[in-house]
Amino acid sequence: FGAGAAAARAAYDPEGKGDMARLNAALGSDAMMLEPARFVARAMAAAGAPVYHYRFSYVLQARRAQSPYGAQHATDVPFAFDRLGAVHGDIVAPADEKMADAMADYWANFARNGDPNGKGLPLWRPYGAASDQLLEFGADGAIQSRPDPWRARLDAMERRATQ
């Protein structure tokens, strides 16, 4: 992180725990997935396109013990297409199905209308660089539109990438 090392350290390990496994997981996912996704969202929004940016943090209830750092890449796909049973069989819990129902509704609304919002769903606000807004499909099952809570981390990663 060069000159931004102190800011990166504060963003990635604010409590100073030095948990290297957690830090490596965060650094890897931010460098390979999260910051590039934000970069694309910013570019599309700057070009005038409506952008709906999201983060999928939810893990199947039956798999949480094996996923200490949260959702793995592409685990959102069976949720988006509401295919949990076909992919995961009988380990799917009612809370998992509830998340899949909501996510599939957002995707279907977007495909139909170009806007993911719809009746009974929490509002998904469009992305803008100033707000850094995203919809989080939360680890706790909550779905909420909010400014990215990892903005400081991703800003540090962005600075690193452009040095």
Side-chain angles (χ1 to χ4, degrees):
F1 288 93
R9 191 172 294 111
Y12 279 95
D13 193 18
E15 298 169 7
K17 291 183 178 180
D19 180 344
M20 292 309 293
R22 183 168 296 282
L23 288 169
N24 283 332
L27 289 163
S29 66
D30 289 1
M32 300 303 291
M33 300 291 175
L34 301 180
E35 177 46 34
R38 185 176 78 156
F39 175 85
V40 171
R42 282 185 174 175
M44 296 301 295
V51 175
Y52 294 93
H53 185 49
Y54 77 99
R55 177 165 305 129
F56 188 78
S57 302
Y58 189 82
V59 176
L60 284 171
Q61 288 187 350
R63 298 262 166 88
R64 290 183 182 169
Q66 295 87 28
S67 297
Y69 306 123
Q72 301 287 319
H73 175 62
T75 57
D76 56 333
V77 174
F79 286 85
F81 294 100
D82 205 3
R83 303 295 298 151
L84 292 182
V87 174
H88 299 291
D90 62 357
I91 67 167
V92 177
D96 304 331
E97 289 178 2
K98 183 179 176 187
M99 181 63 79
D101 289 344
M103 195 169 189
D105 285 348
Y106 281 117
W107 264 239
N109 290 339
F110 186 79
R112 272 194 298 271
N113 310 315
D115 182 331
N117 292 295
K119 185 177 180 184
L121 295 171
L123 178 66
W124 188 343
R125 292 183 179 91
Y127 178 83
S131 67
D132 220 9
Q133 193 78 28
L134 56 75
L135 186 76
E136 177 141 18
F137 295 90
D140 61 359
I143 300 171
Q144 61 179 326
S145 187
R146 63 183 177 158
D148 192 339
W150 294 346
R151 185 174 192 159
R153 282 175 34 178
L154 299 181
D155 287 349
M157 189 58 68
E158 178 184 33
R159 284 189 298 274
R160 177 184 163 268
T162 58
Q163 288 180 356

